Structures are given as C-alpha cells and as structure tokens.
C-alpha cells in the first residue's frame, strides 16, 4: 500500500506565506507525476500545481505566487505559497501517480488533506 501524508497547513494573514510538504511512503517502485489540489467549501476540487520530472504546471490563479518542487530521493513534494489571499483558503490535497509493479500501470493516490486558512 502507499500512503501520502501532508503537513504545513495552518492559519496565515493575507500577504503571508506557507510551505506545504507531502511525503509518500510504502510499496513504491517509482513516482511519476506529483501534485497539489485544493477544495474550498462548496466548491469542487481543483488543480493547483503538478510536477513531472522537471516540468511544472500551475493553475492561472496561483501562477507567480506558488512554486511546486520535489525531492525524488525523499519521495516528497513541496508547495511554497507566497502572497496568499483569502481566495486561497481551502483544504489542500497531495496527489501522486505511483508505480508499484514494473508490469502494471501507475495508480493515483491521495493524501488526507491539510487545511489552509488565510485571514484578512
């Protein structure tokens, strides 16, 4: 089995910064894409940022403010969030596309989520 554990969420004032971390553990052969998604109250889960190798992709709403990175040796993905505003308030979920077996395709796994609240 594979587990993803997020950390780093919390309460921050508008204009502040937070850094989220997500560690993948368990039976892992290789991790392809890793990413961050978020879900605000009453809204659908949306993509924030993904990273595959050295290639990154961001939602328009976070471009220039958020930076995704990963440490492959530690099976960890990070999300540096700067210039936070109240619209960034949401539960942030980590996602990883994991290969456990060389003869089978990858499976997507999710973390349990970490709350980010931005106050005025």
């Amino acid at each position: 089995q594979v587990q993803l554990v997020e950390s780093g969420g919390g309460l921050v004032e508008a204009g502040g910064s937070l850094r989220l971390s997500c560690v993948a553990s368990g039976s892992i052969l290789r991790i392809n894409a890793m990413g961050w998604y978020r879900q605000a109250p009453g809204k659908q889960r949306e993509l924030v940022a993904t990273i595959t190798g050295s290639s990154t992709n961001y939602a328009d709403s976070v471009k220039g403010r958020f930076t995704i990175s990963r440490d492959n040796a530690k099976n960890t993905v990070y999300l540096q969030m700067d210039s936070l505003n109240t619209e960034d308030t949401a539960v942030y979920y980590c996602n990883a596309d994991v290969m456990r077996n060389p003869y089978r395709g990858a499976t997507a796994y999710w973390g349990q989520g970490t709350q980010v609240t931005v106050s005025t």
Side-chain angles (χ1 to χ4, degrees):
Q1 196 50 275
V2 175
Q3 299 81 36
L4 302 181
V5 178
E6 301 108 332
S7 61
L11 175 64
V12 64
E13 291 185 352
S17 298
L18 282 175
R19 188 189 194 213
L20 305 183
S21 301
C22 172
V23 181
S25 63
S27 178
I28 297 171
L29 177 65
R30 185 177 74 238
I31 301 177
N32 297 329
M34 300 188 81
W36 291 93
Y37 292 72
R38 67 186 181 186
Q39 186 167 18
K43 296 186 178 181
Q44 291 188 332
R45 189 173 298 188
E46 63 176 3
L47 179 146
V48 176
T50 62
I51 182 167
T52 304
S54 60
S55 177
T56 58
N57 178 55
Y58 295 93
D60 288 342
S61 60
V62 306
K63 283 181 181 178
R65 301 188 299 120
F66 291 10
T67 303
I68 189 171
S69 60
R70 62 190 285 181
D71 184 333
N72 293 326
K74 297 180 179 179
N75 288 336
T76 300
V77 63
Y78 305 96
L79 185 68
Q80 177 66 41
M81 304 186 294
D82 298 318
S83 301
L84 285 160
N85 59 60
T86 56
E87 294 183 350
D88 296 317
T89 295
V91 178
Y92 284 70
Y93 296 91
C94 173
N95 171 270
D97 197 38
V98 179
M99 286 193 66
R100 301 176 60 196
N101 185 309
Y103 307 107
R104 301 182 68 177
T107 301
Y109 291 89
W110 292 89
Q112 80 287 351
T114 185
Q115 177 70 46
V116 172
T117 302
V118 184
S119 64
T120 56

mmCIF file of all heavy atoms in Angstrom, residues 79-120:
data_model
loop_
_atom_site.group_PDB
_atom_site.id
_atom_site.type_symbol
_atom_site.label_atom_id
_atom_site.label_comp_id
_atom_site.label_asym_id
_atom_site.label_seq_id
_atom_site.Cartn_x
_atom_site.Cartn_y
_atom_site.Cartn_z
ATOM 1 N N LEU A 79 5.000 22.618 -1.759
ATOM 2 C CA LEU A 79 4.293 23.726 -2.379
ATOM 3 C C LEU A 79 4.585 24.970 -1.553
ATOM 4 O O LEU A 79 4.111 25.096 -0.421
ATOM 5 C CB LEU A 79 2.785 23.480 -2.449
ATOM 6 C CG LEU A 79 1.998 24.550 -3.195
ATOM 7 C CD1 LEU A 79 2.346 24.498 -4.691
ATOM 8 C CD2 LEU A 79 0.489 24.354 -3.010
ATOM 9 N N GLN A 80 5.403 25.854 -2.114
ATOM 10 C CA GLN A 80 5.680 27.135 -1.480
ATOM 11 C C GLN A 80 4.617 28.120 -1.928
ATOM 12 O O GLN A 80 4.464 28.355 -3.132
ATOM 13 C CB GLN A 80 7.070 27.633 -1.872
ATOM 14 C CG GLN A 80 7.425 28.999 -1.318
ATOM 15 C CD GLN A 80 7.552 29.006 0.183
ATOM 16 O OE1 GLN A 80 8.099 28.086 0.781
ATOM 17 N NE2 GLN A 80 7.046 30.059 0.816
ATOM 18 N N MET A 81 3.895 28.667 -0.965
ATOM 19 C CA MET A 81 2.780 29.563 -1.274
ATOM 20 C C MET A 81 3.095 30.944 -0.713
ATOM 21 O O MET A 81 3.226 31.112 0.503
ATOM 22 C CB MET A 81 1.480 29.025 -0.662
ATOM 23 C CG MET A 81 1.156 27.612 -1.096
ATOM 24 S SD MET A 81 -0.463 27.043 -0.502
ATOM 25 C CE MET A 81 -0.171 26.988 1.265
ATOM 26 N N ASP A 82 3.243 31.904 -1.590
ATOM 27 C CA ASP A 82 3.530 33.281 -1.202
ATOM 28 C C ASP A 82 2.382 34.200 -1.612
ATOM 29 O O ASP A 82 1.534 33.828 -2.427
ATOM 30 C CB ASP A 82 4.830 33.747 -1.865
ATOM 31 C CG ASP A 82 6.030 32.928 -1.446
ATOM 32 O OD1 ASP A 82 6.142 32.616 -0.255
ATOM 33 O OD2 ASP A 82 6.856 32.590 -2.326
ATOM 34 N N SER A 83 2.372 35.385 -1.034
ATOM 35 C CA SER A 83 1.330 36.378 -1.348
ATOM 36 C C SER A 83 -0.063 35.773 -1.261
ATOM 37 O O SER A 83 -0.900 35.944 -2.158
ATOM 38 C CB SER A 83 1.561 36.961 -2.751
ATOM 39 O OG SER A 83 2.829 37.575 -2.834
ATOM 40 N N LEU A 84 -0.305 35.051 -0.184
ATOM 41 C CA LEU A 84 -1.586 34.375 -0.020
ATOM 42 C C LEU A 84 -2.718 35.379 0.134
ATOM 43 O O LEU A 84 -2.545 36.465 0.716
ATOM 44 C CB LEU A 84 -1.538 33.458 1.192
ATOM 45 C CG LEU A 84 -0.738 32.163 0.986
ATOM 46 C CD1 LEU A 84 -0.323 31.549 2.313
ATOM 47 C CD2 LEU A 84 -1.556 31.165 0.175
ATOM 48 N N ASN A 85 -3.869 35.028 -0.394
ATOM 49 C CA ASN A 85 -5.065 35.843 -0.215
ATOM 50 C C ASN A 85 -6.215 34.959 0.258
ATOM 51 O O ASN A 85 -6.100 33.726 0.285
ATOM 52 C CB ASN A 85 -5.405 36.596 -1.499
ATOM 53 C CG ASN A 85 -5.636 35.669 -2.677
ATOM 54 O OD1 ASN A 85 -6.531 34.829 -2.629
ATOM 55 N ND2 ASN A 85 -4.855 35.831 -3.728
ATOM 56 N N THR A 86 -7.318 35.579 0.613
ATOM 57 C CA THR A 86 -8.429 34.828 1.213
ATOM 58 C C THR A 86 -9.009 33.790 0.263
ATOM 59 O O THR A 86 -9.565 32.786 0.705
ATOM 60 C CB THR A 86 -9.533 35.774 1.678
ATOM 61 O OG1 THR A 86 -9.961 36.579 0.577
ATOM 62 C CG2 THR A 86 -9.035 36.688 2.805
ATOM 63 N N GLU A 87 -8.866 34.003 -1.036
ATOM 64 C CA GLU A 87 -9.369 33.025 -2.007
ATOM 65 C C GLU A 87 -8.544 31.751 -2.046
ATOM 66 O O GLU A 87 -8.943 30.776 -2.673
ATOM 67 C CB GLU A 87 -9.440 33.668 -3.391
ATOM 68 C CG GLU A 87 -10.464 34.799 -3.482
ATOM 69 C CD GLU A 87 -10.570 35.364 -4.883
ATOM 70 O OE1 GLU A 87 -9.737 35.016 -5.740
ATOM 71 O OE2 GLU A 87 -11.500 36.165 -5.111
ATOM 72 N N ASP A 88 -7.395 31.760 -1.393
ATOM 73 C CA ASP A 88 -6.569 30.552 -1.316
ATOM 74 C C ASP A 88 -7.004 29.636 -0.169
ATOM 75 O O ASP A 88 -6.470 28.532 -0.019
ATOM 76 C CB ASP A 88 -5.097 30.918 -1.130
ATOM 77 C CG ASP A 88 -4.533 31.682 -2.321
ATOM 78 O OD1 ASP A 88 -4.827 31.283 -3.460
ATOM 79 O OD2 ASP A 88 -3.820 32.680 -2.095
ATOM 80 N N THR A 89 -7.937 30.083 0.640
ATOM 81 C CA THR A 89 -8.436 29.270 1.753
ATOM 82 C C THR A 89 -9.112 28.009 1.223
ATOM 83 O O THR A 89 -10.030 28.087 0.411
ATOM 84 C CB THR A 89 -9.428 30.075 2.613
ATOM 85 O OG1 THR A 89 -8.733 31.151 3.232
ATOM 86 C CG2 THR A 89 -10.053 29.191 3.678
ATOM 87 N N ALA A 90 -8.628 26.865 1.678
ATOM 88 C CA ALA A 90 -9.143 25.585 1.189
ATOM 89 C C ALA A 90 -8.427 24.459 1.924
ATOM 90 O O ALA A 90 -7.446 24.693 2.638
ATOM 91 C CB ALA A 90 -8.908 25.444 -0.318
ATOM 92 N N VAL A 91 -8.926 23.246 1.701
ATOM 93 C CA VAL A 91 -8.181 22.052 2.093
ATOM 94 C C VAL A 91 -7.305 21.673 0.904
ATOM 95 O O VAL A 91 -7.787 21.546 -0.216
ATOM 96 C CB VAL A 91 -9.107 20.890 2.464
ATOM 97 C CG1 VAL A 91 -8.280 19.651 2.806
ATOM 98 C CG2 VAL A 91 -9.996 21.275 3.636
ATOM 99 N N TYR A 92 -6.022 21.510 1.163
ATOM 100 C CA TYR A 92 -5.058 21.187 0.116
ATOM 101 C C TYR A 92 -4.714 19.703 0.177
ATOM 102 O O TYR A 92 -4.356 19.190 1.248
ATOM 103 C CB TYR A 92 -3.807 22.044 0.274
ATOM 104 C CG TYR A 92 -4.008 23.463 -0.190
ATOM 105 C CD1 TYR A 92 -4.813 24.336 0.531
ATOM 106 C CD2 TYR A 92 -3.419 23.923 -1.365
ATOM 107 C CE1 TYR A 92 -5.029 25.639 0.092
ATOM 108 C CE2 TYR A 92 -3.623 25.222 -1.803
ATOM 109 C CZ TYR A 92 -4.435 26.074 -1.074
ATOM 110 O OH TYR A 92 -4.647 27.360 -1.507
ATOM 111 N N TYR A 93 -4.821 19.058 -0.978
ATOM 112 C CA TYR A 93 -4.582 17.629 -1.071
ATOM 113 C C TYR A 93 -3.370 17.348 -1.950
ATOM 114 O O TYR A 93 -3.207 17.946 -3.017
ATOM 115 C CB TYR A 93 -5.784 16.920 -1.684
ATOM 116 C CG TYR A 93 -7.042 17.006 -0.850
ATOM 117 C CD1 TYR A 93 -7.952 18.042 -1.038
ATOM 118 C CD2 TYR A 93 -7.321 16.045 0.118
ATOM 119 C CE1 TYR A 93 -9.109 18.113 -0.282
ATOM 120 C CE2 TYR A 93 -8.476 16.119 0.877
ATOM 121 C CZ TYR A 93 -9.363 17.150 0.670
ATOM 122 O OH TYR A 93 -10.506 17.219 1.424
ATOM 123 N N CYS A 94 -2.566 16.399 -1.499
ATOM 124 C CA CYS A 94 -1.429 15.929 -2.279
ATOM 125 C C CYS A 94 -1.871 14.738 -3.139
ATOM 126 O O CYS A 94 -2.694 13.929 -2.705
ATOM 127 C CB CYS A 94 -0.327 15.505 -1.316
ATOM 128 S SG CYS A 94 1.086 14.701 -2.060
ATOM 129 N N ASN A 95 -1.313 14.665 -4.319
ATOM 130 C CA ASN A 95 -1.623 13.569 -5.241
ATOM 131 C C ASN A 95 -0.323 13.034 -5.822
ATOM 132 O O ASN A 95 0.588 13.811 -6.121
ATOM 133 C CB ASN A 95 -2.535 14.078 -6.358
ATOM 134 C CG ASN A 95 -2.724 13.064 -7.459
ATOM 135 O OD1 ASN A 95 -1.959 13.027 -8.421
ATOM 136 N ND2 ASN A 95 -3.744 12.237 -7.334
ATOM 137 N N ALA A 96 -0.236 11.721 -5.960
ATOM 138 C CA ALA A 96 0.958 11.128 -6.566
ATOM 139 C C ALA A 96 0.549 9.980 -7.476
ATOM 140 O O ALA A 96 -0.326 9.174 -7.124
ATOM 141 C CB ALA A 96 1.913 10.630 -5.494
ATOM 142 N N ASP A 97 1.192 9.901 -8.616
ATOM 143 C CA ASP A 97 0.961 8.856 -9.614
ATOM 144 C C ASP A 97 2.067 7.818 -9.419
ATOM 145 O O ASP A 97 3.202 8.025 -9.829
ATOM 146 C CB ASP A 97 1.024 9.480 -11.003
ATOM 147 C CG ASP A 97 0.421 8.611 -12.061
ATOM 148 O OD1 ASP A 97 -0.606 7.959 -11.782
ATOM 149 O OD2 ASP A 97 0.967 8.579 -13.168
ATOM 150 N N VAL A 98 1.725 6.696 -8.766
ATOM 151 C CA VAL A 98 2.734 5.770 -8.257
ATOM 152 C C VAL A 98 2.734 4.456 -9.013
ATOM 153 O O VAL A 98 1.682 3.834 -9.209
ATOM 154 C CB VAL A 98 2.491 5.492 -6.757
ATOM 155 C CG1 VAL A 98 3.538 4.501 -6.227
ATOM 156 C CG2 VAL A 98 2.527 6.784 -5.959
ATOM 157 N N MET A 99 3.929 4.034 -9.392
ATOM 158 C CA MET A 99 4.093 2.686 -9.943
ATOM 159 C C MET A 99 4.617 1.776 -8.828
ATOM 160 O O MET A 99 5.631 2.075 -8.205
ATOM 161 C CB MET A 99 5.065 2.694 -11.110
ATOM 162 C CG MET A 99 4.503 3.286 -12.386
ATOM 163 S SD MET A 99 5.540 2.928 -13.816
ATOM 164 C CE MET A 99 5.343 1.150 -13.924
ATOM 165 N N ARG A 100 3.915 0.671 -8.592
ATOM 166 C CA ARG A 100 4.317 -0.279 -7.553
ATOM 167 C C ARG A 100 4.877 -1.562 -8.154
ATOM 168 O O ARG A 100 5.520 -2.348 -7.458
ATOM 169 C CB ARG A 100 3.127 -0.607 -6.659
ATOM 170 C CG ARG A 100 2.529 0.599 -5.960
ATOM 171 C CD ARG A 100 1.300 0.213 -5.166
ATOM 172 N NE ARG A 100 1.630 -0.781 -4.152
ATOM 173 C CZ ARG A 100 0.724 -1.526 -3.531
ATOM 174 N NH1 ARG A 100 -0.550 -1.395 -3.823
ATOM 175 N NH2 ARG A 100 1.095 -2.389 -2.612
ATOM 176 N N ASN A 101 4.616 -1.744 -9.442
ATOM 177 C CA ASN A 101 4.967 -3.004 -10.090
ATOM 178 C C ASN A 101 5.411 -2.673 -11.511
ATOM 179 O O ASN A 101 4.718 -1.938 -12.202
ATOM 180 C CB ASN A 101 3.741 -3.915 -10.100
ATOM 181 C CG ASN A 101 4.046 -5.285 -10.640
ATOM 182 O OD1 ASN A 101 4.622 -5.428 -11.718
ATOM 183 N ND2 ASN A 101 3.650 -6.306 -9.897
ATOM 184 N N PRO A 102 6.558 -3.212 -11.965
ATOM 185 C CA PRO A 102 7.034 -2.875 -13.316
ATOM 186 C C PRO A 102 6.134 -3.418 -14.423
ATOM 187 O O PRO A 102 6.277 -3.021 -15.588
ATOM 188 C CB PRO A 102 8.429 -3.507 -13.365
ATOM 189 C CG PRO A 102 8.391 -4.586 -12.346
ATOM 190 C CD PRO A 102 7.492 -4.086 -11.254
ATOM 191 N N TYR A 103 5.222 -4.324 -14.078
ATOM 192 C CA TYR A 103 4.365 -4.929 -15.087
ATOM 193 C C TYR A 103 2.961 -4.344 -15.104
ATOM 194 O O TYR A 103 2.126 -4.779 -15.897
ATOM 195 C CB TYR A 103 4.295 -6.443 -14.859
ATOM 196 C CG TYR A 103 5.663 -7.079 -14.785
ATOM 197 C CD1 TYR A 103 6.182 -7.523 -13.575
ATOM 198 C CD2 TYR A 103 6.449 -7.215 -15.927
ATOM 199 C CE1 TYR A 103 7.442 -8.087 -13.506
ATOM 200 C CE2 TYR A 103 7.712 -7.780 -15.867
ATOM 201 C CZ TYR A 103 8.207 -8.210 -14.649
ATOM 202 O OH TYR A 103 9.449 -8.761 -14.585
ATOM 203 N N ARG A 104 2.723 -3.386 -14.239
ATOM 204 C CA ARG A 104 1.403 -2.782 -14.182
ATOM 205 C C ARG A 104 1.527 -1.272 -14.278
ATOM 206 O O ARG A 104 2.574 -0.687 -14.001
ATOM 207 C CB ARG A 104 0.692 -3.172 -12.895
ATOM 208 C CG ARG A 104 0.511 -4.672 -12.730
ATOM 209 C CD ARG A 104 -0.250 -5.003 -11.463
ATOM 210 N NE ARG A 104 -1.639 -4.554 -11.541
ATOM 211 C CZ ARG A 104 -2.523 -4.788 -10.579
ATOM 212 N NH1 ARG A 104 -2.161 -5.436 -9.499
ATOM 213 N NH2 ARG A 104 -3.758 -4.358 -10.704
ATOM 214 N N GLY A 105 0.463 -0.619 -14.641
ATOM 215 C CA GLY A 105 0.471 0.833 -14.752
ATOM 216 C C GLY A 105 0.470 1.513 -13.410
ATOM 217 O O GLY A 105 0.413 0.877 -12.360
ATOM 218 N N ALA A 106 0.536 2.844 -13.470
ATOM 219 C CA ALA A 106 0.567 3.632 -12.244
ATOM 220 C C ALA A 106 -0.835 3.823 -11.683
ATOM 221 O O ALA A 106 -1.826 3.730 -12.405
ATOM 222 C CB ALA A 106 1.202 4.995 -12.526
ATOM 223 N N THR A 107 -0.880 4.057 -10.391
ATOM 224 C CA THR A 107 -2.131 4.307 -9.678
ATOM 225 C C THR A 107 -2.041 5.652 -8.974
ATOM 226 O O THR A 107 -0.987 5.991 -8.424
ATOM 227 C CB THR A 107 -2.399 3.203 -8.642
ATOM 228 O OG1 THR A 107 -2.466 1.947 -9.307
ATOM 229 C CG2 THR A 107 -3.697 3.456 -7.887
ATOM 230 N N ALA A 108 -3.125 6.388 -8.985
ATOM 231 C CA ALA A 108 -3.150 7.684 -8.304
ATOM 232 C C ALA A 108 -3.526 7.501 -6.838
ATOM 233 O O ALA A 108 -4.481 6.798 -6.514
ATOM 234 C CB ALA A 108 -4.149 8.613 -8.976
ATOM 235 N N TYR A 109 -2.757 8.139 -5.979
ATOM 236 C CA TYR A 109 -3.023 8.122 -4.546
ATOM 237 C C TYR A 109 -3.205 9.560 -4.047
ATOM 238 O O TYR A 109 -2.633 10.505 -4.616
ATOM 239 C CB TYR A 109 -1.870 7.464 -3.781
ATOM 240 C CG TYR A 109 -1.748 5.986 -4.027
ATOM 241 C CD1 TYR A 109 -0.981 5.499 -5.086
ATOM 242 C CD2 TYR A 109 -2.422 5.077 -3.211
ATOM 243 C CE1 TYR A 109 -0.882 4.134 -5.319
ATOM 244 C CE2 TYR A 109 -2.318 3.708 -3.445
ATOM 245 C CZ TYR A 109 -1.550 3.257 -4.505
ATOM 246 O OH TYR A 109 -1.466 1.903 -4.735
ATOM 247 N N TRP A 110 -3.989 9.677 -2.968
ATOM 248 C CA TRP A 110 -4.297 10.983 -2.385
ATOM 249 C C TRP A 110 -3.934 11.007 -0.908
ATOM 250 O O TRP A 110 -4.065 10.007 -0.214
ATOM 251 C CB TRP A 110 -5.784 11.296 -2.534
ATOM 252 C CG TRP A 110 -6.221 11.514 -3.940
ATOM 253 C CD1 TRP A 110 -6.648 10.566 -4.815
ATOM 254 C CD2 TRP A 110 -6.264 12.753 -4.637
ATOM 255 N NE1 TRP A 110 -6.957 11.144 -6.014
ATOM 256 C CE2 TRP A 110 -6.743 12.492 -5.935
ATOM 257 C CE3 TRP A 110 -5.945 14.070 -4.298
ATOM 258 C CZ2 TRP A 110 -6.897 13.493 -6.896
ATOM 259 C CZ3 TRP A 110 -6.109 15.059 -5.250
ATOM 260 C CH2 TRP A 110 -6.578 14.771 -6.537
ATOM 261 N N GLY A 111 -3.524 12.184 -0.455
ATOM 262 C CA GLY A 111 -3.341 12.386 0.963
ATOM 263 C C GLY A 111 -4.665 12.732 1.624
ATOM 264 O O GLY A 111 -5.703 12.849 0.962
ATOM 265 N N GLN A 112 -4.615 12.916 2.947
ATOM 266 C CA GLN A 112 -5.842 13.161 3.690
ATOM 267 C C GLN A 112 -6.236 14.640 3.678
ATOM 268 O O GLN A 112 -7.349 14.983 4.067
ATOM 269 C CB GLN A 112 -5.670 12.696 5.141
ATOM 270 C CG GLN A 112 -4.916 13.663 6.053
ATOM 271 C CD GLN A 112 -3.422 13.734 5.781
ATOM 272 O OE1 GLN A 112 -2.879 12.947 5.006
ATOM 273 N NE2 GLN A 112 -2.759 14.672 6.428
ATOM 274 N N GLY A 113 -5.331 15.492 3.244
ATOM 275 C CA GLY A 113 -5.626 16.915 3.155
ATOM 276 C C GLY A 113 -5.107 17.700 4.332
ATOM 277 O O GLY A 113 -5.018 17.184 5.454
ATOM 278 N N THR A 114 -4.760 18.953 4.082
ATOM 279 C CA THR A 114 -4.321 19.858 5.145
ATOM 280 C C THR A 114 -5.002 21.203 4.926
ATOM 281 O O THR A 114 -5.072 21.709 3.805
ATOM 282 C CB THR A 114 -2.786 20.003 5.165
ATOM 283 O OG1 THR A 114 -2.392 20.804 6.276
ATOM 284 C CG2 THR A 114 -2.244 20.622 3.884
ATOM 285 N N GLN A 115 -5.530 21.761 6.000
ATOM 286 C CA GLN A 115 -6.297 22.998 5.908
ATOM 287 C C GLN A 115 -5.378 24.206 5.828
ATOM 288 O O GLN A 115 -4.444 24.349 6.630
ATOM 289 C CB GLN A 115 -7.212 23.141 7.123
ATOM 290 C CG GLN A 115 -8.017 24.440 7.165
ATOM 291 C CD GLN A 115 -9.096 24.495 6.100
ATOM 292 O OE1 GLN A 115 -9.833 23.529 5.909
ATOM 293 N NE2 GLN A 115 -9.193 25.623 5.400
ATOM 294 N N VAL A 116 -5.669 25.077 4.878
ATOM 295 C CA VAL A 116 -5.001 26.372 4.773
ATOM 296 C C VAL A 116 -6.073 27.447 4.890
ATOM 297 O O VAL A 116 -7.032 27.456 4.118
ATOM 298 C CB VAL A 116 -4.250 26.516 3.431
ATOM 299 C CG1 VAL A 116 -3.738 27.936 3.257
ATOM 300 C CG2 VAL A 116 -3.100 25.518 3.369
ATOM 301 N N THR A 117 -5.917 28.321 5.864
ATOM 302 C CA THR A 117 -6.867 29.398 6.075
ATOM 303 C C THR A 117 -6.128 30.731 6.032
ATOM 304 O O THR A 117 -5.159 30.929 6.771
ATOM 305 C CB THR A 117 -7.584 29.255 7.430
ATOM 306 O OG1 THR A 117 -8.241 27.980 7.476
ATOM 307 C CG2 THR A 117 -8.612 30.363 7.608
ATOM 308 N N VAL A 118 -6.591 31.609 5.157
ATOM 309 C CA VAL A 118 -5.979 32.929 5.014
ATOM 310 C C VAL A 118 -6.950 33.969 5.552
ATOM 311 O O VAL A 118 -8.087 34.065 5.071
ATOM 312 C CB VAL A 118 -5.620 33.228 3.550
ATOM 313 C CG1 VAL A 118 -4.893 34.560 3.444
ATOM 314 C CG2 VAL A 118 -4.763 32.104 2.969
ATOM 315 N N SER A 119 -6.519 34.730 6.521
ATOM 316 C CA SER A 119 -7.381 35.730 7.145
ATOM 317 C C SER A 119 -7.044 37.132 6.640
ATOM 318 O O SER A 119 -5.928 37.398 6.181
ATOM 319 C CB SER A 119 -7.209 35.686 8.661
ATOM 320 O OG SER A 119 -5.887 36.054 9.012
ATOM 321 N N THR A 120 -8.024 38.016 6.747
ATOM 322 C CA THR A 120 -7.801 39.406 6.321
ATOM 323 C C THR A 120 -7.138 40.208 7.420
ATOM 324 O O THR A 120 -7.096 39.802 8.563
ATOM 325 C CB THR A 120 -9.123 40.071 5.950
ATOM 326 O OG1 THR A 120 -10.023 39.980 7.059
ATOM 327 C CG2 THR A 120 -9.750 39.394 4.744
#
